[in-house]
Amino acid sequence: MGSLILIGVVILAIIPGMLARIYAVKLQDRIIRTEEQFRYYILTTKRLDPSLTLAQLIALHFAPDEEFVSLVDRTLAENLSSDEIKQAIHEWRADYNRV
């Protein structure tokens, strides 16, 4: 009986840590989406096409400003996957603030 209580306590102790990690990653994804929409607007004075997926936006996040707009246009025209976007980036923009 005591071992079942101990297992239950351990499980209940793990759940908050898992939830905190999930919330942090979801929040970071939302921030990246907002950053890239804003960056595209600053560079082009146009709104970013909402058909881009989160995976595509995260891949585009690593492109420098010089490549960003043309890579967005190419992604929309050719429906590039996140791996294809990453391979198309010539000069990587590092992100040292990832969770």
Side-chain angles (χ1 to χ4, degrees):
M1 183 67 171
S3 62
L4 287 177
I5 292 174
L6 183 60
I7 291 172
V9 169
V10 169
I11 290 172
L12 289 175
I14 291 173
I15 290 174
M18 290 173 44
L19 288 176
R21 176 69 181 161
I22 290 168
Y23 293 153
V25 171
K26 288 286 188 186
L27 177 61
Q28 189 164 334
D29 290 346
R30 291 180 66 185
I31 290 169
I32 288 174
R33 181 182 298 275
T34 304
E35 285 177 347
E36 298 316 305
Q37 288 173 340
F38 184 64
R39 179 161 74 137
Y40 188 79
Y41 182 79
I42 292 296
L43 294 172
T44 65
T45 67
K46 300 177 196 168
R47 294 184 62 137
L48 189 59
D49 191 323
S51 67
L52 288 171
T53 66
L54 180 60
Q56 288 171 322
L57 285 174
I58 291 172
L60 288 164
H61 181 68
F62 296 103
D65 289 346
E66 297 78 21
E67 299 177 35
F68 181 68
V69 176
S70 62
L71 201 50
V72 168
D73 294 339
R74 185 172 164 212
T75 300
L76 290 169
E78 301 174 21
N79 195 25
L80 299 177
S81 69
S82 60
D83 288 335
E84 292 171 326
I85 293 168
K86 290 175 186 176
Q87 290 173 356
I89 296 172
H90 298 289
E91 294 290 327
W92 276 74
R93 185 179 77 136
D95 183 1
Y96 299 110
N97 298 315
R98 292 284 293 173
V99 172

Short mmCIF file of all heavy atoms in Angstrom, two decimals, residues 30-97:
data_model
loop_
_atom_site.label_atom_id
_atom_site.label_comp_id
_atom_site.label_asym_id
_atom_site.label_seq_id
_atom_site.Cartn_x
_atom_site.Cartn_y
_atom_site.Cartn_z
N ARG A 30 4.26 30.86 -29.98
CA ARG A 30 3.41 32.03 -30.24
C ARG A 30 4.26 33.29 -30.41
O ARG A 30 3.98 34.13 -31.26
CB ARG A 30 2.42 32.22 -29.10
CG ARG A 30 1.36 31.13 -29.06
CD ARG A 30 0.39 31.33 -27.95
NE ARG A 30 -0.38 32.55 -28.19
CZ ARG A 30 -1.25 33.04 -27.34
NH1 ARG A 30 -1.47 32.45 -26.19
NH2 ARG A 30 -1.91 34.15 -27.62
N ILE A 31 5.32 33.40 -29.61
CA ILE A 31 6.20 34.57 -29.71
C ILE A 31 6.92 34.57 -31.05
O ILE A 31 7.04 35.62 -31.71
CB ILE A 31 7.18 34.61 -28.53
CG1 ILE A 31 6.42 34.93 -27.24
CG2 ILE A 31 8.31 35.60 -28.77
CD1 ILE A 31 7.23 34.75 -25.98
N ILE A 32 7.41 33.42 -31.49
CA ILE A 32 8.09 33.34 -32.79
C ILE A 32 7.13 33.72 -33.91
O ILE A 32 7.49 34.46 -34.83
CB ILE A 32 8.68 31.93 -33.02
CG1 ILE A 32 9.90 31.73 -32.12
CG2 ILE A 32 9.06 31.72 -34.48
CD1 ILE A 32 10.47 30.34 -32.15
N ARG A 33 5.90 33.23 -33.86
CA ARG A 33 4.90 33.58 -34.88
C ARG A 33 4.72 35.10 -34.93
O ARG A 33 4.76 35.72 -35.99
CB ARG A 33 3.57 32.91 -34.59
CG ARG A 33 2.51 33.21 -35.63
CD ARG A 33 1.17 32.57 -35.29
NE ARG A 33 1.23 31.12 -35.24
CZ ARG A 33 1.12 30.33 -36.30
NH1 ARG A 33 0.96 30.86 -37.50
NH2 ARG A 33 1.15 29.03 -36.16
N THR A 34 4.59 35.72 -33.76
CA THR A 34 4.40 37.18 -33.70
C THR A 34 5.63 37.92 -34.18
O THR A 34 5.52 38.90 -34.94
CB THR A 34 4.05 37.59 -32.26
OG1 THR A 34 2.89 36.88 -31.84
CG2 THR A 34 3.77 39.08 -32.17
N GLU A 35 6.82 37.47 -33.77
CA GLU A 35 8.06 38.12 -34.21
C GLU A 35 8.21 38.08 -35.72
O GLU A 35 8.59 39.08 -36.34
CB GLU A 35 9.27 37.42 -33.58
CG GLU A 35 9.52 37.71 -32.14
CD GLU A 35 10.69 36.91 -31.59
OE1 GLU A 35 11.15 35.96 -32.25
OE2 GLU A 35 11.14 37.25 -30.49
N GLU A 36 7.93 36.93 -36.31
CA GLU A 36 8.11 36.80 -37.75
C GLU A 36 7.06 37.60 -38.53
O GLU A 36 7.36 38.16 -39.58
CB GLU A 36 8.11 35.33 -38.16
CG GLU A 36 9.25 34.53 -37.54
CD GLU A 36 10.58 35.23 -37.59
OE1 GLU A 36 11.04 35.64 -38.68
OE2 GLU A 36 11.21 35.39 -36.52
N GLN A 37 5.86 37.66 -38.01
CA GLN A 37 4.85 38.51 -38.65
C GLN A 37 5.27 39.97 -38.59
O GLN A 37 5.16 40.69 -39.59
CB GLN A 37 3.49 38.33 -37.96
CG GLN A 37 2.84 37.00 -38.24
CD GLN A 37 1.60 36.78 -37.40
OE1 GLN A 37 1.38 37.42 -36.37
NE2 GLN A 37 0.78 35.84 -37.83
N PHE A 38 5.78 40.38 -37.45
CA PHE A 38 6.23 41.76 -37.30
C PHE A 38 7.46 42.04 -38.17
O PHE A 38 7.54 43.09 -38.82
CB PHE A 38 6.54 42.06 -35.83
CG PHE A 38 6.92 43.48 -35.56
CD1 PHE A 38 6.02 44.50 -35.78
CD2 PHE A 38 8.18 43.79 -35.08
CE1 PHE A 38 6.36 45.82 -35.53
CE2 PHE A 38 8.54 45.10 -34.83
CZ PHE A 38 7.63 46.12 -35.05
N ARG A 39 8.39 41.12 -38.21
CA ARG A 39 9.59 41.30 -39.03
C ARG A 39 9.23 41.42 -40.50
O ARG A 39 9.75 42.28 -41.21
CB ARG A 39 10.56 40.13 -38.82
CG ARG A 39 11.82 40.24 -39.65
CD ARG A 39 12.95 39.39 -39.15
NE ARG A 39 12.80 37.98 -39.39
CZ ARG A 39 13.77 37.18 -39.80
NH1 ARG A 39 14.98 37.65 -40.04
NH2 ARG A 39 13.56 35.90 -39.96
N TYR A 40 8.31 40.58 -40.97
CA TYR A 40 7.88 40.65 -42.36
C TYR A 40 7.22 42.00 -42.64
O TYR A 40 7.46 42.62 -43.68
CB TYR A 40 6.91 39.51 -42.68
CG TYR A 40 6.56 39.40 -44.13
CD1 TYR A 40 7.44 38.82 -45.04
CD2 TYR A 40 5.35 39.87 -44.62
CE1 TYR A 40 7.13 38.71 -46.38
CE2 TYR A 40 5.02 39.77 -45.96
CZ TYR A 40 5.92 39.19 -46.84
OH TYR A 40 5.60 39.10 -48.17
N TYR A 41 6.40 42.48 -41.70
CA TYR A 41 5.73 43.77 -41.88
C TYR A 41 6.75 44.91 -41.92
O TYR A 41 6.64 45.81 -42.76
CB TYR A 41 4.71 44.01 -40.76
CG TYR A 41 3.98 45.30 -40.93
CD1 TYR A 41 2.93 45.41 -41.83
CD2 TYR A 41 4.36 46.43 -40.21
CE1 TYR A 41 2.27 46.61 -42.02
CE2 TYR A 41 3.70 47.63 -40.39
CZ TYR A 41 2.66 47.72 -41.29
OH TYR A 41 2.00 48.91 -41.47
N ILE A 42 7.73 44.87 -41.04
CA ILE A 42 8.77 45.91 -41.02
C ILE A 42 9.54 45.93 -42.33
O ILE A 42 9.86 47.00 -42.87
CB ILE A 42 9.73 45.70 -39.83
CG1 ILE A 42 9.02 45.95 -38.51
CG2 ILE A 42 10.98 46.56 -39.94
CD1 ILE A 42 8.55 47.37 -38.30
N LEU A 43 9.84 44.75 -42.87
CA LEU A 43 10.65 44.67 -44.08
C LEU A 43 9.86 44.97 -45.35
O LEU A 43 10.44 45.43 -46.35
CB LEU A 43 11.29 43.29 -44.19
CG LEU A 43 12.34 42.95 -43.11
CD1 LEU A 43 12.74 41.49 -43.21
CD2 LEU A 43 13.54 43.86 -43.23
N THR A 44 8.55 44.72 -45.35
CA THR A 44 7.77 44.85 -46.59
C THR A 44 6.57 45.79 -46.49
O THR A 44 5.99 46.12 -47.52
CB THR A 44 7.22 43.49 -47.03
OG1 THR A 44 6.28 43.04 -46.05
CG2 THR A 44 8.32 42.47 -47.22
N THR A 45 6.18 46.18 -45.31
CA THR A 45 4.95 46.92 -45.01
C THR A 45 3.70 46.18 -45.48
O THR A 45 2.68 46.79 -45.77
CB THR A 45 4.96 48.36 -45.59
OG1 THR A 45 4.94 48.31 -47.01
CG2 THR A 45 6.13 49.17 -45.08
N LYS A 46 3.80 44.87 -45.57
CA LYS A 46 2.66 44.01 -45.90
C LYS A 46 2.48 43.00 -44.78
O LYS A 46 3.42 42.71 -44.04
CB LYS A 46 2.90 43.24 -47.21
CG LYS A 46 3.11 44.09 -48.41
CD LYS A 46 3.40 43.20 -49.61
CE LYS A 46 4.00 43.99 -50.74
NZ LYS A 46 4.53 43.13 -51.78
N ARG A 47 1.28 42.44 -44.71
CA ARG A 47 1.02 41.39 -43.73
C ARG A 47 1.53 40.06 -44.25
O ARG A 47 1.47 39.78 -45.44
CB ARG A 47 -0.48 41.31 -43.44
CG ARG A 47 -1.00 42.56 -42.74
CD ARG A 47 -2.44 42.39 -42.40
NE ARG A 47 -2.54 41.27 -41.46
CZ ARG A 47 -3.30 41.29 -40.39
NH1 ARG A 47 -4.03 42.32 -40.11
NH2 ARG A 47 -3.35 40.24 -39.59
N LEU A 48 1.99 39.23 -43.33
CA LEU A 48 2.46 37.90 -43.67
C LEU A 48 1.28 37.00 -43.98
O LEU A 48 0.25 37.05 -43.29
CB LEU A 48 3.26 37.33 -42.49
CG LEU A 48 4.03 36.05 -42.69
CD1 LEU A 48 5.07 36.21 -43.81
CD2 LEU A 48 4.74 35.67 -41.41
N ASP A 49 1.40 36.19 -45.00
CA ASP A 49 0.33 35.27 -45.40
C ASP A 49 0.03 34.28 -44.27
O ASP A 49 0.93 33.57 -43.82
CB ASP A 49 0.75 34.53 -46.66
CG ASP A 49 -0.37 33.75 -47.30
OD1 ASP A 49 -1.20 33.19 -46.57
OD2 ASP A 49 -0.42 33.71 -48.54
N PRO A 50 -1.22 34.21 -43.83
CA PRO A 50 -1.55 33.31 -42.72
C PRO A 50 -1.51 31.83 -43.08
O PRO A 50 -1.67 30.98 -42.20
CB PRO A 50 -2.97 33.74 -42.33
CG PRO A 50 -3.52 34.45 -43.50
CD PRO A 50 -2.35 35.02 -44.26
N SER A 51 -1.30 31.51 -44.35
CA SER A 51 -1.26 30.09 -44.73
C SER A 51 0.06 29.41 -44.35
O SER A 51 0.16 28.19 -44.41
CB SER A 51 -1.50 29.95 -46.24
OG SER A 51 -0.42 30.50 -46.96
N LEU A 52 1.07 30.21 -43.94
CA LEU A 52 2.32 29.61 -43.49
C LEU A 52 2.09 28.86 -42.19
O LEU A 52 1.43 29.35 -41.28
CB LEU A 52 3.38 30.69 -43.26
CG LEU A 52 3.95 31.35 -44.50
CD1 LEU A 52 4.82 32.53 -44.12
CD2 LEU A 52 4.76 30.35 -45.30
N THR A 53 2.63 27.66 -42.11
CA THR A 53 2.47 26.84 -40.91
C THR A 53 3.46 27.29 -39.84
O THR A 53 4.44 27.98 -40.13
CB THR A 53 2.68 25.36 -41.21
OG1 THR A 53 4.06 25.16 -41.56
CG2 THR A 53 1.77 24.87 -42.32
N LEU A 54 3.20 26.84 -38.62
CA LEU A 54 4.11 27.17 -37.53
C LEU A 54 5.50 26.59 -37.80
O LEU A 54 6.51 27.25 -37.56
CB LEU A 54 3.56 26.65 -36.20
CG LEU A 54 4.42 26.94 -34.98
CD1 LEU A 54 4.61 28.43 -34.79
CD2 LEU A 54 3.80 26.31 -33.75
N ALA A 55 5.57 25.38 -38.31
CA ALA A 55 6.87 24.77 -38.62
C ALA A 55 7.63 25.59 -39.66
O ALA A 55 8.85 25.77 -39.55
CB ALA A 55 6.67 23.34 -39.12
N GLN A 56 6.93 26.11 -40.66
CA GLN A 56 7.59 26.95 -41.67
C GLN A 56 8.08 28.25 -41.04
O GLN A 56 9.19 28.70 -41.33
CB GLN A 56 6.61 27.25 -42.81
CG GLN A 56 6.33 26.05 -43.70
CD GLN A 56 5.21 26.31 -44.68
OE1 GLN A 56 4.22 26.98 -44.35
NE2 GLN A 56 5.35 25.79 -45.88
N LEU A 57 7.26 28.86 -40.18
CA LEU A 57 7.67 30.11 -39.53
C LEU A 57 8.87 29.90 -38.63
O LEU A 57 9.77 30.75 -38.57
CB LEU A 57 6.51 30.70 -38.74
CG LEU A 57 5.42 31.36 -39.56
CD1 LEU A 57 4.26 31.76 -38.68
CD2 LEU A 57 5.97 32.57 -40.29
N ILE A 58 8.91 28.78 -37.93
CA ILE A 58 10.06 28.50 -37.06
C ILE A 58 11.32 28.32 -37.90
O ILE A 58 12.39 28.81 -37.55
CB ILE A 58 9.78 27.29 -36.17
CG1 ILE A 58 8.70 27.65 -35.14
CG2 ILE A 58 11.05 26.81 -35.48
CD1 ILE A 58 8.20 26.48 -34.32
N ALA A 59 11.20 27.66 -39.03
CA ALA A 59 12.36 27.51 -39.93
C ALA A 59 12.79 28.86 -40.49
O ALA A 59 13.99 29.17 -40.57
CB ALA A 59 12.03 26.54 -41.05
N LEU A 60 11.82 29.70 -40.86
CA LEU A 60 12.13 31.03 -41.39
C LEU A 60 12.77 31.93 -40.33
O LEU A 60 13.48 32.88 -40.66
CB LEU A 60 10.86 31.69 -41.94
CG LEU A 60 10.32 31.11 -43.24
CD1 LEU A 60 8.89 31.55 -43.47
CD2 LEU A 60 11.21 31.50 -44.40
N HIS A 61 12.52 31.62 -39.08
CA HIS A 61 13.06 32.39 -37.96
C HIS A 61 14.59 32.45 -38.01
O HIS A 61 15.18 33.41 -37.53
CB HIS A 61 12.58 31.75 -36.65
CG HIS A 61 13.01 32.43 -35.41
ND1 HIS A 61 12.54 33.67 -35.06
CD2 HIS A 61 13.86 32.06 -34.43
CE1 HIS A 61 13.08 34.02 -33.91
NE2 HIS A 61 13.89 33.05 -33.51
N PHE A 62 15.21 31.44 -38.61
CA PHE A 62 16.67 31.37 -38.65
C PHE A 62 17.27 32.08 -39.86
O PHE A 62 18.49 32.14 -39.99
CB PHE A 62 17.12 29.90 -38.63
CG PHE A 62 16.74 29.21 -37.35
CD1 PHE A 62 15.67 28.35 -37.31
CD2 PHE A 62 17.45 29.44 -36.19
CE1 PHE A 62 15.30 27.71 -36.13
CE2 PHE A 62 17.10 28.82 -35.00
CZ PHE A 62 16.02 27.95 -34.98
N ALA A 63 16.43 32.61 -40.73
CA ALA A 63 16.93 33.33 -41.91
C ALA A 63 17.23 34.78 -41.55
O ALA A 63 16.47 35.43 -40.83
CB ALA A 63 15.90 33.29 -43.03
N PRO A 64 18.34 35.32 -42.04
CA PRO A 64 18.64 36.74 -41.79
C PRO A 64 17.68 37.62 -42.59
O PRO A 64 17.03 37.16 -43.53
CB PRO A 64 20.08 36.89 -42.27
CG PRO A 64 20.24 35.82 -43.30
CD PRO A 64 19.37 34.68 -42.85
N ASP A 65 17.61 38.87 -42.22
CA ASP A 65 16.69 39.81 -42.89
C ASP A 65 16.92 39.86 -44.40
O ASP A 65 15.97 40.00 -45.17
CB ASP A 65 16.84 41.22 -42.31
CG ASP A 65 16.28 41.32 -40.90
OD1 ASP A 65 15.54 40.41 -40.48
OD2 ASP A 65 16.58 42.33 -40.23
N GLU A 66 18.17 39.74 -44.82
CA GLU A 66 18.50 39.84 -46.25
C GLU A 66 17.86 38.69 -47.05
O GLU A 66 17.56 38.86 -48.22
CB GLU A 66 20.01 39.82 -46.47
CG GLU A 66 20.75 41.00 -45.86
CD GLU A 66 20.96 40.85 -44.35
OE1 GLU A 66 20.90 39.73 -43.82
OE2 GLU A 66 21.18 41.90 -43.71
N GLU A 67 17.69 37.54 -46.44
CA GLU A 67 17.13 36.38 -47.14
C GLU A 67 15.66 36.14 -46.80
O GLU A 67 14.98 35.39 -47.50
CB GLU A 67 17.91 35.12 -46.75
CG GLU A 67 19.36 35.14 -47.12
CD GLU A 67 20.08 33.89 -46.64
OE1 GLU A 67 19.47 32.79 -46.64
OE2 GLU A 67 21.26 33.99 -46.25
N PHE A 68 15.18 36.77 -45.76
CA PHE A 68 13.87 36.45 -45.19
C PHE A 68 12.72 36.64 -46.17
O PHE A 68 11.93 35.72 -46.41
CB PHE A 68 13.64 37.27 -43.92
CG PHE A 68 12.35 37.00 -43.24
CD1 PHE A 68 12.10 35.78 -42.62
CD2 PHE A 68 11.35 37.95 -43.20
CE1 PHE A 68 10.91 35.53 -41.97
CE2 PHE A 68 10.16 37.72 -42.56
CZ PHE A 68 9.93 36.50 -41.94
N VAL A 69 12.61 37.81 -46.76
CA VAL A 69 11.45 38.11 -47.62
C VAL A 69 11.43 37.21 -48.85
O VAL A 69 10.39 36.64 -49.20
CB VAL A 69 11.45 39.60 -48.03
CG1 VAL A 69 10.32 39.89 -49.00
CG2 VAL A 69 11.30 40.48 -46.79
N SER A 70 12.58 37.05 -49.50
CA SER A 70 12.61 36.19 -50.69
C SER A 70 12.32 34.73 -50.32
O SER A 70 11.67 34.02 -51.08
CB SER A 70 13.94 36.31 -51.42
OG SER A 70 15.00 35.87 -50.59
N LEU A 71 12.76 34.32 -49.15
CA LEU A 71 12.51 32.95 -48.71
C LEU A 71 11.04 32.75 -48.35
O LEU A 71 10.47 31.68 -48.62
CB LEU A 71 13.41 32.61 -47.53
CG LEU A 71 13.67 31.15 -47.23
CD1 LEU A 71 14.08 30.38 -48.48
CD2 LEU A 71 14.72 31.01 -46.16
N VAL A 72 10.41 33.76 -47.78
CA VAL A 72 8.96 33.68 -47.52
C VAL A 72 8.21 33.56 -48.84
O VAL A 72 7.32 32.71 -48.98
CB VAL A 72 8.46 34.91 -46.73
CG1 VAL A 72 6.94 34.98 -46.72
CG2 VAL A 72 8.99 34.88 -45.31
N ASP A 73 8.57 34.39 -49.80
CA ASP A 73 7.90 34.33 -51.11
C ASP A 73 8.09 32.96 -51.76
O ASP A 73 7.16 32.39 -52.32
CB ASP A 73 8.43 35.44 -52.03
CG ASP A 73 8.06 36.82 -51.52
OD1 ASP A 73 7.10 36.93 -50.73
OD2 ASP A 73 8.74 37.79 -51.91
N ARG A 74 9.30 32.44 -51.68
CA ARG A 74 9.57 31.12 -52.26
C ARG A 74 8.80 30.02 -51.51
O ARG A 74 8.28 29.09 -52.13
CB ARG A 74 11.07 30.84 -52.20
CG ARG A 74 11.44 29.55 -52.86
CD ARG A 74 12.94 29.38 -52.97
NE ARG A 74 13.21 27.98 -53.26
CZ ARG A 74 14.26 27.32 -52.85
NH1 ARG A 74 15.19 27.93 -52.14
NH2 ARG A 74 14.41 26.06 -53.15
N THR A 75 8.73 30.14 -50.20
CA THR A 75 7.97 29.16 -49.41
C THR A 75 6.51 29.16 -49.80
O THR A 75 5.88 28.10 -49.94
CB THR A 75 8.12 29.46 -47.90
OG1 THR A 75 9.51 29.38 -47.55
CG2 THR A 75 7.33 28.48 -47.06
N LEU A 76 5.94 30.33 -49.99
CA LEU A 76 4.53 30.43 -50.39
C LEU A 76 4.32 29.89 -51.79
O LEU A 76 3.33 29.21 -52.06
CB LEU A 76 4.05 31.87 -50.28
CG LEU A 76 3.92 32.41 -48.85
CD1 LEU A 76 3.70 33.92 -48.89
CD2 LEU A 76 2.80 31.70 -48.12
N ALA A 77 5.24 30.16 -52.70
CA ALA A 77 5.09 29.73 -54.08
C ALA A 77 5.28 28.22 -54.24
O ALA A 77 4.56 27.56 -55.00
CB ALA A 77 6.09 30.47 -54.97
N GLU A 78 6.27 27.67 -53.51
CA GLU A 78 6.62 26.26 -53.69
C GLU A 78 6.17 25.37 -52.54
O GLU A 78 6.43 24.17 -52.56
CB GLU A 78 8.14 26.14 -53.86
CG GLU A 78 8.69 26.92 -55.03
CD GLU A 78 10.20 26.88 -55.09
OE1 GLU A 78 10.82 25.97 -54.49
OE2 GLU A 78 10.79 27.77 -55.73
N ASN A 79 5.55 25.97 -51.51
CA ASN A 79 5.11 25.23 -50.32
C ASN A 79 6.25 24.40 -49.73
O ASN A 79 6.15 23.19 -49.55
CB ASN A 79 3.89 24.35 -50.60
CG ASN A 79 3.23 23.89 -49.32
OD1 ASN A 79 3.35 24.54 -48.29
ND2 ASN A 79 2.53 22.78 -49.40
N LEU A 80 7.37 25.08 -49.45
CA LEU A 80 8.55 24.41 -48.93
C LEU A 80 8.29 23.85 -47.53
O LEU A 80 7.59 24.47 -46.74
CB LEU A 80 9.73 25.39 -48.86
CG LEU A 80 10.21 26.01 -50.16
CD1 LEU A 80 11.32 27.01 -49.87
CD2 LEU A 80 10.69 24.94 -51.11
N SER A 81 8.89 22.73 -47.24
CA SER A 81 8.81 22.17 -45.89
C SER A 81 9.82 22.90 -45.01
O SER A 81 10.70 23.62 -45.50
CB SER A 81 9.12 20.68 -45.91
OG SER A 81 10.49 20.47 -46.20
N SER A 82 9.75 22.68 -43.71
CA SER A 82 10.68 23.34 -42.80
C SER A 82 12.13 22.90 -43.09
O SER A 82 13.05 23.72 -43.01
CB SER A 82 10.31 23.08 -41.35
OG SER A 82 10.33 21.70 -41.07
N ASP A 83 12.32 21.64 -43.43
CA ASP A 83 13.67 21.17 -43.76
C ASP A 83 14.20 21.84 -45.03
O ASP A 83 15.37 22.20 -45.11
CB ASP A 83 13.69 19.65 -43.93
CG ASP A 83 13.54 18.93 -42.60
OD1 ASP A 83 13.89 19.52 -41.55
OD2 ASP A 83 13.07 17.77 -42.60
N GLU A 84 13.33 21.99 -46.03
CA GLU A 84 13.74 22.65 -47.27
C GLU A 84 14.07 24.12 -47.03
O GLU A 84 15.01 24.66 -47.63
CB GLU A 84 12.64 22.52 -48.32
CG GLU A 84 12.42 21.11 -48.82
CD GLU A 84 11.18 20.96 -49.69
OE1 GLU A 84 10.17 21.65 -49.44
OE2 GLU A 84 11.23 20.13 -50.61
N ILE A 85 13.32 24.77 -46.15
CA ILE A 85 13.59 26.17 -45.81
C ILE A 85 14.96 26.27 -45.14
O ILE A 85 15.78 27.12 -45.50
CB ILE A 85 12.50 26.73 -44.89
CG1 ILE A 85 11.17 26.81 -45.64
CG2 ILE A 85 12.90 28.11 -44.36
CD1 ILE A 85 9.97 27.10 -44.74
N LYS A 86 15.22 25.38 -44.19
CA LYS A 86 16.50 25.41 -43.49
C LYS A 86 17.67 25.17 -44.44
O LYS A 86 18.73 25.78 -44.30
CB LYS A 86 16.51 24.38 -42.36
CG LYS A 86 15.59 24.76 -41.22
CD LYS A 86 15.53 23.65 -40.19
CE LYS A 86 14.51 23.94 -39.11
NZ LYS A 86 14.39 22.82 -38.17
N GLN A 87 17.49 24.29 -45.42
CA GLN A 87 18.55 24.02 -46.39
C GLN A 87 18.77 25.21 -47.33
O GLN A 87 19.87 25.40 -47.84
CB GLN A 87 18.22 22.78 -47.19
CG GLN A 87 18.31 21.51 -46.38
CD GLN A 87 17.82 20.28 -47.13
OE1 GLN A 87 17.34 20.39 -48.26
NE2 GLN A 87 17.92 19.12 -46.50
N ALA A 88 17.73 26.02 -47.52
CA ALA A 88 17.84 27.16 -48.43
C ALA A 88 18.50 28.38 -47.76
O ALA A 88 18.89 29.31 -48.46
CB ALA A 88 16.45 27.55 -48.94
N ILE A 89 18.62 28.36 -46.47
CA ILE A 89 19.23 29.49 -45.77
C ILE A 89 20.75 29.44 -45.96
O ILE A 89 21.39 28.43 -45.70
CB ILE A 89 18.87 29.45 -44.26
CG1 ILE A 89 17.36 29.62 -44.09
CG2 ILE A 89 19.62 30.54 -43.50
CD1 ILE A 89 16.88 29.40 -42.66
N HIS A 90 21.31 30.57 -46.41
CA HIS A 90 22.75 30.64 -46.66
C HIS A 90 23.50 31.11 -45.42
O HIS A 90 24.54 30.56 -45.08
CB HIS A 90 23.06 31.57 -47.83
CG HIS A 90 22.46 31.10 -49.11
ND1 HIS A 90 22.91 29.99 -49.79
CD2 HIS A 90 21.41 31.58 -49.85
CE1 HIS A 90 22.18 29.81 -50.88
NE2 HIS A 90 21.27 30.76 -50.93
N GLU A 91 23.02 32.15 -44.77
CA GLU A 91 23.66 32.71 -43.58
C GLU A 91 22.68 32.55 -42.41
O GLU A 91 21.69 33.26 -42.32
CB GLU A 91 23.97 34.20 -43.77
CG GLU A 91 25.01 34.48 -44.82
CD GLU A 91 26.39 34.03 -44.39
OE1 GLU A 91 26.70 34.11 -43.19
OE2 GLU A 91 27.16 33.60 -45.26
N TRP A 92 22.98 31.63 -41.52
CA TRP A 92 22.08 31.35 -40.40
C TRP A 92 22.09 32.48 -39.39
O TRP A 92 23.13 33.03 -39.06
CB TRP A 92 22.49 30.06 -39.72
CG TRP A 92 21.90 28.88 -40.40
CD1 TRP A 92 22.30 28.36 -41.59
CD2 TRP A 92 20.79 28.10 -39.97
NE1 TRP A 92 21.51 27.29 -41.92
CE2 TRP A 92 20.58 27.11 -40.94
CE3 TRP A 92 19.96 28.14 -38.87
CZ2 TRP A 92 19.57 26.17 -40.83
CZ3 TRP A 92 18.96 27.20 -38.75
CH2 TRP A 92 18.78 26.24 -39.74
N ARG A 93 20.90 32.78 -38.89
CA ARG A 93 20.73 33.74 -37.80
C ARG A 93 20.47 32.91 -36.55
O ARG A 93 19.41 32.31 -36.41
CB ARG A 93 19.55 34.67 -38.10
CG ARG A 93 19.35 35.77 -37.10
CD ARG A 93 18.19 36.62 -37.52
NE ARG A 93 16.94 35.92 -37.19
CZ ARG A 93 15.89 36.50 -36.64
NH1 ARG A 93 15.90 37.78 -36.40
NH2 ARG A 93 14.80 35.81 -36.39
N ALA A 94 21.43 32.86 -35.66
CA ALA A 94 21.31 32.00 -34.48
C ALA A 94 20.26 32.55 -33.51
O ALA A 94 20.02 33.74 -33.42
CB ALA A 94 22.65 31.91 -33.78
N ASP A 95 19.62 31.63 -32.80
CA ASP A 95 18.64 31.99 -31.78
C ASP A 95 19.14 31.40 -30.46
O ASP A 95 18.97 30.22 -30.19
CB ASP A 95 17.26 31.44 -32.13
CG ASP A 95 16.20 31.85 -31.13
OD1 ASP A 95 16.54 32.58 -30.17
OD2 ASP A 95 15.05 31.48 -31.31
N TYR A 96 19.75 32.24 -29.64
CA TYR A 96 20.32 31.78 -28.38
C TYR A 96 19.32 31.88 -27.23
O TYR A 96 19.65 31.58 -26.09
CB TYR A 96 21.56 32.60 -28.04
CG TYR A 96 22.64 32.46 -29.08
CD1 TYR A 96 22.98 33.52 -29.92
CD2 TYR A 96 23.33 31.26 -29.22
CE1 TYR A 96 23.97 33.38 -30.87
CE2 TYR A 96 24.32 31.11 -30.17
CZ TYR A 96 24.64 32.18 -30.99
OH TYR A 96 25.62 32.05 -31.93
N ASN A 97 18.08 32.29 -27.52
CA ASN A 97 17.10 32.50 -26.47
C ASN A 97 16.02 31.43 -26.43
O ASN A 97 15.00 31.60 -25.79
CB ASN A 97 16.44 33.86 -26.64
CG ASN A 97 17.45 34.99 -26.51
OD1 ASN A 97 18.26 34.97 -25.61
ND2 ASN A 97 17.42 35.94 -27.42
#
